[in-house]
Amino acid sequence: MGKGFLTYSTAVILQAVANGYLYGFDIIDITGLPGGTVYPALRRLQETGYLASEWEKQSIAQAEPRPPRKYYELTRAGREALAEAVKRYRLLEQRRPTKVRDPKPSRA
Amino acid sequence: MLLLSRCKRFFTRPHLRLIRVIGVIVPRRLRADWRQEWEAELRCREMLLAEWNRLDRRHRLDLLRRSAGAFWDALLLQPRRLEDEMFQDLRYGVRMLLKSKGFTLVAVLSLALGIGANTALFSVMDAVLLNTLPVAEPERLVLFEWQAGLPFRTGGMSGTSFVPTPPGTKGLSLFCYEVFEKMRQARAAAPESPLSDFFAFAPIRELTAAAGDQVEVINGQAVSGGYYAGLGVQPVLGRGITDEDDKLGAASVVVLSHQFWQERFGASSAVIGQPLKLNKIPFTIIGVTPPAFTGTLQVDYRPAVTVPIACEPLLRGERSRLGTANQPGAWWLDLMGRLKPGATCEQARDSLNGAFQAAALEVMPPPRKANQPAQLEPKDYPRLLAESGGRGMLDRRRMYSTTIYGLFIVVALVLLIACANVANLLLARAAQRSAEISVRLAVGAGRWRLIRQLLTESVLLAGLGGAAGVLFAFWGRSALLALTDKDTGILPGVVVDLRLDWRVLAFTLAISVLTGVLFGLTPAWRATSLDLATAIKQGRRTTGAVSRLSKGLIVAQVALSLLLLVGAGLFIRTLHNLQRINLGFNQENLLLFRLQPQQGGYKDERLVQFYQQLFARLDNLPGVRAATFGRVALIAQDNFVNGILLPGESAMTAGPHPTNRQMARENYFATMEIPLLRGRGFTAQDDQRAPKVAIVSQTFARQFFPNDDALGKRVTFRGSKREVEIIGVVADTKYMSQREEIKPLLYTPWQQDGAEVGEMHFTLRTAGEPAALTATVRQVVRELDSNLPVTEIGTQAARSQATLGKERLSARLLSFFGGLALLLAAIGLSGVLAYSVAQRTNEIGIRMALGAQRANVLLLVTRQGMKLVLLGLAVGALGGYALKRLLESQYFAGSAWQRQMAEQLYEVKGTDPVIIAIIAALLTLVALLACWLPARKAAQVDPLEALRQE
């Protein structure tokens, strides 16, 4: 995937991360895209350098209790790419969710 | 129990299991991470939805669907595999191969030759033995044949048939029209018949086709009305032949093959409805068949035109194979049917056997000889056989199969030798790498890991060999063309489309991987079974002993090379013997060509006149010393055979006395330079009005009149009842081929042969190079009749050489592969010795320091190599002898192998001591050379240098 060009669905995913939906499951839910699309896209975005990822600490996951999550975060390049994509895809603006359902978890 | 519990576990939370399964294809490095993320996703979802056991079906399915999404994710990670171990192995392998370029080149080349030969031959085998017809559901086609006791009699037979049946019976794949008709009626009358279609077809060779002003001789076929419908072949243009066309009195229609349509009509769609004259009879073109469909006849026969069987008498005239009111027809038709879904060949056979038997017995001709019974015993009744018809007619395929398997044995041997060779080189290299390998083992590499690495290298070698082999196979196309040449090939007429389809590629890939594992496994196994402590201590100093396995491989290579080369020697000798043979006439400066004016409508007086006019013109051509013509071309696999009755014999009691015939112009003997031994030759006065006369060959006279003078005796032709008086005896000539035994030959003056006169072969004795007159001759014929094609024009010498084509090809093939095997064996021997010398440098140095001369060292190394070679020769000779005994034993009694073996050689025995001695000497010489190179290197060892290394 060349830099500077994002498909619509990739841009949607990127925007979801930007809006605070930080792990795969959450992104799938908010975007409505299937897992078979979201995960490969996340990997590609990470490879391109738009996203960075980190595993959640085991202790947090155990306290919940649930399996640990992998959190994604926008990089600077990602933010720029998203801004570019928003200009191109006007609809993205309208997709911006009005409320954040799951507040950004505390990251120790 | 274990399985059950596993299954249970799988189904308790299938979405998580699925992730584990899919995870297998994720590169190992990324796998754990990948699984964890997906599992987190699915578990989370599961938790949100509540516990699995309480989920309803819709949610369960949803979870499964989500987990299936992981598959796409996993697929996407495939390129990351490049960093995986396998690719590490591959990269390392490539580096190792590049490091020793010479080794790689030799290994890849020898493998490529072996694999290439196998690939090329596989495409032949695919075309002849495996390929199914390009028709709808070929597996439902059934092919009918029959077998009967020897006393069962048929009328005339015409066509290709090869049906293996038990001894004491005869088998045939041909039927006569009356029998076909009865079977067809029986099928139509039985609504529960297992056959949905039933049809007949047969070749009609050599039709003179004229469209516009272009005339050529083509091959055709006759089919019954249900042919195209039964096969499910839809013409690309127009329509096929139907039952309506196949009726007496119906309009004459013809269907063109795609190739003929393209070549002759430029693929014009306007041909439908156009006329095409076949043997001067106008036919209307009604359709063109699809390009892939070349008919259902023998594998070497592709008809250009197809006509209804009802039209056959129009084309063949009086020689029609359909019966008349007072004479049953010939056995010439091939029969096929299409099974209804679910029906079997056996059901089809049983449903028609009764009708076939009754019809066949009905048309059985009355006995012609006193010792033939009028009524057959039931055990000799003909019985129908049914075979799968999906590949078309099988007879020619059965005949060719032994040749193909024989060739396969040869190329498989070559590949085996190549494998042995590469294995040997790898063994030597593994020994050189023992230091590297022991270090790797010492620092903790697993044995399997190392074997995998080494195997990757050998499969890589084989893969390269396979790729180059496919290239070789394509370059070797002309060899395949030679193999399938119509006149000189050993698989004449087979059309092999050498293309890279998936079957050929799959075959090449399979044998490449197989050979890679075959020659790589043992060296890899040995290389990794090191005693670490010793190996590391010794470092580069090994004992230098060549392993027993290496020696065994060399012995095997030499033995196999000996076998192949002796085979080549036998064929070369055969060819030589046949070329030297006295043909009985002078074949230098003869130009031959064939004319079939009877197909252009010439008959009786007009035909005689035509021949006389043409003769006069040709005889007067400048550069022509004499012209003549005769019915049969000599040494061209052409023949014309009649049964004769000797004086006092009657048709009922006489033996068959088959006699070769020639009808010739009166100057035939003078022109061909066949000496007249006794009596007189023909003259121009021996014509229709004169008493009927004949001249016989010496063998004829000796065989039929051993105690008497043949001159003045009268013999009678069985068929025509014509009686002729023998007026002369000429010297023997070979007739069909150089190889055949000389059989009785009877000449008649052509003017007395009346209606029997048809086609003729003209022969010109020229003053200079005969081929130079080709264009002139064509011109002369065209001036007389522009619609008459001149065929088979060429010199007699070339024709005789072409008749030896099979022998020449066999000799060439075996020489090529034998030479290849020898070369490979020599490389192998040289390589192993060179390795041994390199390892023994120290030892040799010490020997020389202690006073050994260069000659001693040379001898030392040469002796080491020659011991193996001599052992190999002994093993090869014994193996060859055992093989010969095996083929002669009763296991192969009556098989095509024995028949073909007997047919192959000429005036030379399989155990010819001279040939074996020559080949053994040649092998020894090459082996000496192969030994000498490393031996010289050993002799050049500087003792000081060698000892300093210590």
PDB file of all heavy atoms in Angstrom, chain B residues 250-279:
ATOM      1  N   ALA B 250     -29.982 -40.329 -50.000  1.00  0.00           N
ATOM      2  CA  ALA B 250     -29.926 -38.978 -49.423  1.00  0.00           C
ATOM      3  C   ALA B 250     -28.853 -38.168 -50.135  1.00  0.00           C
ATOM      4  O   ALA B 250     -27.970 -38.733 -50.785  1.00  0.00           O
ATOM      5  CB  ALA B 250     -29.617 -39.058 -47.929  1.00  0.00           C
ATOM      6  N   ALA B 251     -28.927 -36.851 -49.992  1.00  0.00           N
ATOM      7  CA  ALA B 251     -27.941 -35.993 -50.649  1.00  0.00           C
ATOM      8  C   ALA B 251     -26.556 -36.292 -50.071  1.00  0.00           C
ATOM      9  O   ALA B 251     -26.415 -36.665 -48.901  1.00  0.00           O
ATOM     10  CB  ALA B 251     -28.299 -34.534 -50.392  1.00  0.00           C
ATOM     11  N   SER B 252     -25.508 -36.160 -50.919  1.00  0.00           N
ATOM     12  CA  SER B 252     -24.153 -36.429 -50.453  1.00  0.00           C
ATOM     13  C   SER B 252     -23.638 -35.228 -49.676  1.00  0.00           C
ATOM     14  O   SER B 252     -23.495 -34.142 -50.230  1.00  0.00           O
ATOM     15  CB  SER B 252     -23.232 -36.679 -51.649  1.00  0.00           C
ATOM     16  OG  SER B 252     -23.774 -37.690 -52.454  1.00  0.00           O
ATOM     17  N   VAL B 253     -23.371 -35.443 -48.393  1.00  0.00           N
ATOM     18  CA  VAL B 253     -22.922 -34.324 -47.555  1.00  0.00           C
ATOM     19  C   VAL B 253     -21.586 -34.673 -46.914  1.00  0.00           C
ATOM     20  O   VAL B 253     -21.227 -35.835 -46.773  1.00  0.00           O
ATOM     21  CB  VAL B 253     -23.948 -33.994 -46.456  1.00  0.00           C
ATOM     22  CG1 VAL B 253     -25.225 -33.473 -47.049  1.00  0.00           C
ATOM     23  CG2 VAL B 253     -24.202 -35.213 -45.588  1.00  0.00           C
ATOM     24  N   VAL B 254     -20.858 -33.635 -46.541  1.00  0.00           N
ATOM     25  CA  VAL B 254     -19.553 -33.852 -45.927  1.00  0.00           C
ATOM     26  C   VAL B 254     -19.345 -32.835 -44.808  1.00  0.00           C
ATOM     27  O   VAL B 254     -19.776 -31.690 -44.908  1.00  0.00           O
ATOM     28  CB  VAL B 254     -18.430 -33.765 -46.995  1.00  0.00           C
ATOM     29  CG1 VAL B 254     -18.436 -32.412 -47.686  1.00  0.00           C
ATOM     30  CG2 VAL B 254     -17.066 -34.016 -46.371  1.00  0.00           C
ATOM     31  N   VAL B 255     -18.713 -33.305 -43.705  1.00  0.00           N
ATOM     32  CA  VAL B 255     -18.341 -32.429 -42.592  1.00  0.00           C
ATOM     33  C   VAL B 255     -16.827 -32.302 -42.605  1.00  0.00           C
ATOM     34  O   VAL B 255     -16.116 -33.292 -42.786  1.00  0.00           O
ATOM     35  CB  VAL B 255     -18.827 -33.018 -41.247  1.00  0.00           C
ATOM     36  CG1 VAL B 255     -18.262 -32.231 -40.075  1.00  0.00           C
ATOM     37  CG2 VAL B 255     -20.348 -33.010 -41.197  1.00  0.00           C
ATOM     38  N   LEU B 256     -16.317 -31.078 -42.470  1.00  0.00           N
ATOM     39  CA  LEU B 256     -14.874 -30.851 -42.528  1.00  0.00           C
ATOM     40  C   LEU B 256     -14.275 -30.843 -41.126  1.00  0.00           C
ATOM     41  O   LEU B 256     -14.914 -30.407 -40.173  1.00  0.00           O
ATOM     42  CB  LEU B 256     -14.571 -29.499 -43.181  1.00  0.00           C
ATOM     43  CG  LEU B 256     -15.232 -29.210 -44.524  1.00  0.00           C
ATOM     44  CD1 LEU B 256     -14.757 -27.844 -45.028  1.00  0.00           C
ATOM     45  CD2 LEU B 256     -14.896 -30.278 -45.542  1.00  0.00           C
ATOM     46  N   SER B 257     -13.024 -31.278 -41.026  1.00  0.00           N
ATOM     47  CA  SER B 257     -12.308 -31.107 -39.766  1.00  0.00           C
ATOM     48  C   SER B 257     -11.881 -29.646 -39.672  1.00  0.00           C
ATOM     49  O   SER B 257     -11.736 -28.958 -40.687  1.00  0.00           O
ATOM     50  CB  SER B 257     -11.083 -32.005 -39.701  1.00  0.00           C
ATOM     51  OG  SER B 257     -10.020 -31.440 -40.431  1.00  0.00           O
ATOM     52  N   HIS B 258     -11.665 -29.193 -38.452  1.00  0.00           N
ATOM     53  CA  HIS B 258     -11.316 -27.788 -38.244  1.00  0.00           C
ATOM     54  C   HIS B 258     -10.030 -27.430 -38.972  1.00  0.00           C
ATOM     55  O   HIS B 258      -9.915 -26.384 -39.616  1.00  0.00           O
ATOM     56  CB  HIS B 258     -11.186 -27.514 -36.748  1.00  0.00           C
ATOM     57  CG  HIS B 258     -11.225 -26.061 -36.399  1.00  0.00           C
ATOM     58  ND1 HIS B 258     -10.090 -25.303 -36.347  1.00  0.00           N
ATOM     59  CD2 HIS B 258     -12.255 -25.238 -36.125  1.00  0.00           C
ATOM     60  CE1 HIS B 258     -10.423 -24.062 -36.030  1.00  0.00           C
ATOM     61  NE2 HIS B 258     -11.725 -23.996 -35.889  1.00  0.00           N
ATOM     62  N   GLN B 259      -9.057 -28.355 -38.893  1.00  0.00           N
ATOM     63  CA  GLN B 259      -7.754 -28.094 -39.509  1.00  0.00           C
ATOM     64  C   GLN B 259      -7.876 -27.966 -41.029  1.00  0.00           C
ATOM     65  O   GLN B 259      -7.344 -27.051 -41.637  1.00  0.00           O
ATOM     66  CB  GLN B 259      -6.805 -29.232 -39.151  1.00  0.00           C
ATOM     67  CG  GLN B 259      -5.370 -28.911 -39.472  1.00  0.00           C
ATOM     68  CD  GLN B 259      -4.468 -30.117 -39.242  1.00  0.00           C
ATOM     69  OE1 GLN B 259      -4.891 -31.145 -38.736  1.00  0.00           O
ATOM     70  NE2 GLN B 259      -3.227 -29.984 -39.626  1.00  0.00           N
ATOM     71  N   PHE B 260      -8.625 -28.925 -41.635  1.00  0.00           N
ATOM     72  CA  PHE B 260      -8.791 -28.903 -43.086  1.00  0.00           C
ATOM     73  C   PHE B 260      -9.512 -27.627 -43.514  1.00  0.00           C
ATOM     74  O   PHE B 260      -9.158 -26.988 -44.494  1.00  0.00           O
ATOM     75  CB  PHE B 260      -9.569 -30.144 -43.500  1.00  0.00           C
ATOM     76  CG  PHE B 260      -9.710 -30.311 -44.990  1.00  0.00           C
ATOM     77  CD1 PHE B 260      -8.593 -30.453 -45.787  1.00  0.00           C
ATOM     78  CD2 PHE B 260     -10.961 -30.334 -45.583  1.00  0.00           C
ATOM     79  CE1 PHE B 260      -8.726 -30.613 -47.162  1.00  0.00           C
ATOM     80  CE2 PHE B 260     -11.102 -30.493 -46.948  1.00  0.00           C
ATOM     81  CZ  PHE B 260      -9.977 -30.633 -47.734  1.00  0.00           C
ATOM     82  N   TRP B 261     -10.501 -27.249 -42.721  1.00  0.00           N
ATOM     83  CA  TRP B 261     -11.285 -26.044 -43.004  1.00  0.00           C
ATOM     84  C   TRP B 261     -10.383 -24.817 -42.982  1.00  0.00           C
ATOM     85  O   TRP B 261     -10.442 -23.946 -43.855  1.00  0.00           O
ATOM     86  CB  TRP B 261     -12.383 -25.942 -41.954  1.00  0.00           C
ATOM     87  CG  TRP B 261     -13.213 -24.697 -41.984  1.00  0.00           C
ATOM     88  CD1 TRP B 261     -13.953 -24.232 -43.024  1.00  0.00           C
ATOM     89  CD2 TRP B 261     -13.387 -23.772 -40.911  1.00  0.00           C
ATOM     90  NE1 TRP B 261     -14.593 -23.075 -42.667  1.00  0.00           N
ATOM     91  CE2 TRP B 261     -14.263 -22.768 -41.376  1.00  0.00           C
ATOM     92  CE3 TRP B 261     -12.921 -23.694 -39.613  1.00  0.00           C
ATOM     93  CZ2 TRP B 261     -14.655 -21.703 -40.584  1.00  0.00           C
ATOM     94  CZ3 TRP B 261     -13.317 -22.646 -38.822  1.00  0.00           C
ATOM     95  CH2 TRP B 261     -14.178 -21.662 -39.300  1.00  0.00           C
ATOM     96  N   GLN B 262      -9.480 -24.777 -41.993  1.00  0.00           N
ATOM     97  CA  GLN B 262      -8.575 -23.624 -41.899  1.00  0.00           C
ATOM     98  C   GLN B 262      -7.563 -23.607 -43.028  1.00  0.00           C
ATOM     99  O   GLN B 262      -7.328 -22.579 -43.660  1.00  0.00           O
ATOM    100  CB  GLN B 262      -7.836 -23.667 -40.566  1.00  0.00           C
ATOM    101  CG  GLN B 262      -8.695 -23.184 -39.426  1.00  0.00           C
ATOM    102  CD  GLN B 262      -7.858 -22.850 -38.225  1.00  0.00           C
ATOM    103  OE1 GLN B 262      -6.919 -23.559 -37.914  1.00  0.00           O
ATOM    104  NE2 GLN B 262      -8.188 -21.772 -37.552  1.00  0.00           N
ATOM    105  N   GLU B 263      -6.953 -24.788 -43.281  1.00  0.00           N
ATOM    106  CA  GLU B 263      -5.880 -24.831 -44.264  1.00  0.00           C
ATOM    107  C   GLU B 263      -6.400 -24.675 -45.682  1.00  0.00           C
ATOM    108  O   GLU B 263      -5.762 -24.083 -46.537  1.00  0.00           O
ATOM    109  CB  GLU B 263      -5.119 -26.152 -44.137  1.00  0.00           C
ATOM    110  CG  GLU B 263      -4.229 -26.172 -42.908  1.00  0.00           C
ATOM    111  CD  GLU B 263      -3.622 -27.538 -42.664  1.00  0.00           C
ATOM    112  OE1 GLU B 263      -3.845 -28.442 -43.498  1.00  0.00           O
ATOM    113  OE2 GLU B 263      -2.944 -27.696 -41.641  1.00  0.00           O
ATOM    114  N   ARG B 264      -7.569 -25.260 -45.919  1.00  0.00           N
ATOM    115  CA  ARG B 264      -8.033 -25.331 -47.280  1.00  0.00           C
ATOM    116  C   ARG B 264      -9.020 -24.221 -47.630  1.00  0.00           C
ATOM    117  O   ARG B 264      -9.068 -23.745 -48.751  1.00  0.00           O
ATOM    118  CB  ARG B 264      -8.683 -26.710 -47.463  1.00  0.00           C
ATOM    119  CG  ARG B 264      -8.935 -27.072 -48.858  1.00  0.00           C
ATOM    120  CD  ARG B 264      -7.622 -27.009 -49.639  1.00  0.00           C
ATOM    121  NE  ARG B 264      -7.941 -26.959 -51.035  1.00  0.00           N
ATOM    122  CZ  ARG B 264      -8.291 -28.013 -51.733  1.00  0.00           C
ATOM    123  NH1 ARG B 264      -8.309 -29.194 -51.172  1.00  0.00           N
ATOM    124  NH2 ARG B 264      -8.617 -27.903 -52.992  1.00  0.00           N
ATOM    125  N   PHE B 265      -9.796 -23.814 -46.644  1.00  0.00           N
ATOM    126  CA  PHE B 265     -10.829 -22.813 -46.928  1.00  0.00           C
ATOM    127  C   PHE B 265     -10.594 -21.515 -46.175  1.00  0.00           C
ATOM    128  O   PHE B 265     -11.487 -20.675 -46.075  1.00  0.00           O
ATOM    129  CB  PHE B 265     -12.210 -23.385 -46.591  1.00  0.00           C
ATOM    130  CG  PHE B 265     -12.588 -24.557 -47.431  1.00  0.00           C
ATOM    131  CD1 PHE B 265     -12.336 -25.850 -46.997  1.00  0.00           C
ATOM    132  CD2 PHE B 265     -13.148 -24.382 -48.689  1.00  0.00           C
ATOM    133  CE1 PHE B 265     -12.659 -26.941 -47.783  1.00  0.00           C
ATOM    134  CE2 PHE B 265     -13.474 -25.472 -49.480  1.00  0.00           C
ATOM    135  CZ  PHE B 265     -13.222 -26.755 -49.026  1.00  0.00           C
ATOM    136  N   GLY B 266      -9.388 -21.373 -45.596  1.00  0.00           N
ATOM    137  CA  GLY B 266      -9.059 -20.140 -44.902  1.00  0.00           C
ATOM    138  C   GLY B 266     -10.061 -19.783 -43.822  1.00  0.00           C
ATOM    139  O   GLY B 266     -10.331 -18.617 -43.581  1.00  0.00           O
ATOM    140  N   ALA B 267     -10.633 -20.805 -43.186  1.00  0.00           N
ATOM    141  CA  ALA B 267     -11.583 -20.598 -42.094  1.00  0.00           C
ATOM    142  C   ALA B 267     -12.735 -19.677 -42.498  1.00  0.00           C
ATOM    143  O   ALA B 267     -13.217 -18.886 -41.704  1.00  0.00           O
ATOM    144  CB  ALA B 267     -10.865 -20.054 -40.851  1.00  0.00           C
ATOM    145  N   SER B 268     -13.156 -19.797 -43.732  1.00  0.00           N
ATOM    146  CA  SER B 268     -14.255 -18.940 -44.193  1.00  0.00           C
ATOM    147  C   SER B 268     -15.586 -19.536 -43.764  1.00  0.00           C
ATOM    148  O   SER B 268     -15.826 -20.732 -43.934  1.00  0.00           O
ATOM    149  CB  SER B 268     -14.203 -18.836 -45.716  1.00  0.00           C
ATOM    150  OG  SER B 268     -15.497 -18.647 -46.223  1.00  0.00           O
ATOM    151  N   SER B 269     -16.443 -18.688 -43.196  1.00  0.00           N
ATOM    152  CA  SER B 269     -17.725 -19.219 -42.736  1.00  0.00           C
ATOM    153  C   SER B 269     -18.688 -19.407 -43.903  1.00  0.00           C
ATOM    154  O   SER B 269     -19.783 -19.917 -43.731  1.00  0.00           O
ATOM    155  CB  SER B 269     -18.327 -18.279 -41.694  1.00  0.00           C
ATOM    156  OG  SER B 269     -18.414 -16.985 -42.248  1.00  0.00           O
ATOM    157  N   ALA B 270     -18.279 -19.022 -45.103  1.00  0.00           N
ATOM    158  CA  ALA B 270     -19.151 -19.176 -46.264  1.00  0.00           C
ATOM    159  C   ALA B 270     -19.067 -20.572 -46.871  1.00  0.00           C
ATOM    160  O   ALA B 270     -19.671 -20.838 -47.901  1.00  0.00           O
ATOM    161  CB  ALA B 270     -18.795 -18.126 -47.315  1.00  0.00           C
ATOM    162  N   VAL B 271     -18.285 -21.484 -46.249  1.00  0.00           N
ATOM    163  CA  VAL B 271     -18.125 -22.800 -46.877  1.00  0.00           C
ATOM    164  C   VAL B 271     -19.394 -23.634 -46.807  1.00  0.00           C
ATOM    165  O   VAL B 271     -19.571 -24.535 -47.620  1.00  0.00           O
ATOM    166  CB  VAL B 271     -16.993 -23.632 -46.248  1.00  0.00           C
ATOM    167  CG1 VAL B 271     -15.664 -23.007 -46.441  1.00  0.00           C
ATOM    168  CG2 VAL B 271     -17.252 -23.927 -44.810  1.00  0.00           C
ATOM    169  N   ILE B 272     -20.234 -23.348 -45.799  1.00  0.00           N
ATOM    170  CA  ILE B 272     -21.436 -24.164 -45.659  1.00  0.00           C
ATOM    171  C   ILE B 272     -22.275 -24.032 -46.934  1.00  0.00           C
ATOM    172  O   ILE B 272     -22.561 -22.926 -47.377  1.00  0.00           O
ATOM    173  CB  ILE B 272     -22.249 -23.719 -44.426  1.00  0.00           C
ATOM    174  CG1 ILE B 272     -21.379 -23.800 -43.185  1.00  0.00           C
ATOM    175  CG2 ILE B 272     -23.509 -24.557 -44.270  1.00  0.00           C
ATOM    176  CD1 ILE B 272     -20.860 -25.162 -42.850  1.00  0.00           C
ATOM    177  N   GLY B 273     -22.613 -25.215 -47.475  1.00  0.00           N
ATOM    178  CA  GLY B 273     -23.372 -25.210 -48.719  1.00  0.00           C
ATOM    179  C   GLY B 273     -22.509 -25.249 -49.957  1.00  0.00           C
ATOM    180  O   GLY B 273     -23.000 -25.487 -51.057  1.00  0.00           O
ATOM    181  N   GLN B 274     -21.196 -25.030 -49.780  1.00  0.00           N
ATOM    182  CA  GLN B 274     -20.286 -25.065 -50.930  1.00  0.00           C
ATOM    183  C   GLN B 274     -20.053 -26.520 -51.362  1.00  0.00           C
ATOM    184  O   GLN B 274     -20.162 -27.433 -50.554  1.00  0.00           O
ATOM    185  CB  GLN B 274     -18.936 -24.472 -50.549  1.00  0.00           C
ATOM    186  CG  GLN B 274     -18.974 -23.000 -50.197  1.00  0.00           C
ATOM    187  CD  GLN B 274     -19.099 -22.146 -51.426  1.00  0.00           C
ATOM    188  OE1 GLN B 274     -18.363 -22.328 -52.383  1.00  0.00           O
ATOM    189  NE2 GLN B 274     -20.042 -21.234 -51.400  1.00  0.00           N
ATOM    190  N   PRO B 275     -19.701 -26.725 -52.636  1.00  0.00           N
ATOM    191  CA  PRO B 275     -19.408 -28.098 -53.067  1.00  0.00           C
ATOM    192  C   PRO B 275     -17.950 -28.474 -52.792  1.00  0.00           C
ATOM    193  O   PRO B 275     -17.069 -27.626 -52.772  1.00  0.00           O
ATOM    194  CB  PRO B 275     -19.670 -28.045 -54.570  1.00  0.00           C
ATOM    195  CG  PRO B 275     -19.400 -26.632 -54.946  1.00  0.00           C
ATOM    196  CD  PRO B 275     -19.682 -25.779 -53.745  1.00  0.00           C
ATOM    197  N   LEU B 276     -17.712 -29.753 -52.536  1.00  0.00           N
ATOM    198  CA  LEU B 276     -16.358 -30.300 -52.421  1.00  0.00           C
ATOM    199  C   LEU B 276     -16.392 -31.623 -53.170  1.00  0.00           C
ATOM    200  O   LEU B 276     -17.228 -32.483 -52.886  1.00  0.00           O
ATOM    201  CB  LEU B 276     -15.986 -30.524 -50.957  1.00  0.00           C
ATOM    202  CG  LEU B 276     -14.660 -31.237 -50.709  1.00  0.00           C
ATOM    203  CD1 LEU B 276     -13.483 -30.343 -51.086  1.00  0.00           C
ATOM    204  CD2 LEU B 276     -14.529 -31.658 -49.245  1.00  0.00           C
ATOM    205  N   LYS B 277     -15.516 -31.772 -54.160  1.00  0.00           N
ATOM    206  CA  LYS B 277     -15.521 -33.016 -54.931  1.00  0.00           C
ATOM    207  C   LYS B 277     -14.573 -34.006 -54.286  1.00  0.00           C
ATOM    208  O   LYS B 277     -13.399 -33.704 -54.069  1.00  0.00           O
ATOM    209  CB  LYS B 277     -15.096 -32.746 -56.375  1.00  0.00           C
ATOM    210  CG  LYS B 277     -16.228 -32.281 -57.235  1.00  0.00           C
ATOM    211  CD  LYS B 277     -15.843 -32.290 -58.691  1.00  0.00           C
ATOM    212  CE  LYS B 277     -17.012 -31.843 -59.546  1.00  0.00           C
ATOM    213  NZ  LYS B 277     -16.579 -31.580 -60.920  1.00  0.00           N
ATOM    214  N   LEU B 278     -15.106 -35.182 -53.968  1.00  0.00           N
ATOM    215  CA  LEU B 278     -14.276 -36.245 -53.424  1.00  0.00           C
ATOM    216  C   LEU B 278     -14.286 -37.371 -54.449  1.00  0.00           C
ATOM    217  O   LEU B 278     -15.355 -37.867 -54.806  1.00  0.00           O
ATOM    218  CB  LEU B 278     -14.824 -36.742 -52.096  1.00  0.00           C
ATOM    219  CG  LEU B 278     -14.860 -35.712 -50.961  1.00  0.00           C
ATOM    220  CD1 LEU B 278     -15.600 -36.263 -49.753  1.00  0.00           C
ATOM    221  CD2 LEU B 278     -13.443 -35.321 -50.571  1.00  0.00           C
ATOM    222  N   ASN B 279     -13.111 -37.766 -54.911  1.00  0.00           N
ATOM    223  CA  ASN B 279     -13.009 -38.768 -55.988  1.00  0.00           C
ATOM    224  C   ASN B 279     -13.974 -38.435 -57.131  1.00  0.00           C
ATOM    225  O   ASN B 279     -14.690 -39.288 -57.633  1.00  0.00           O
ATOM    226  CB  ASN B 279     -13.283 -40.177 -55.467  1.00  0.00           C
ATOM    227  CG  ASN B 279     -12.170 -40.660 -54.567  1.00  0.00           C
ATOM    228  OD1 ASN B 279     -11.187 -39.949 -54.363  1.00  0.00           O
ATOM    229  ND2 ASN B 279     -12.314 -41.850 -54.043  1.00  0.00           N
TER     230      ASN B 279
END
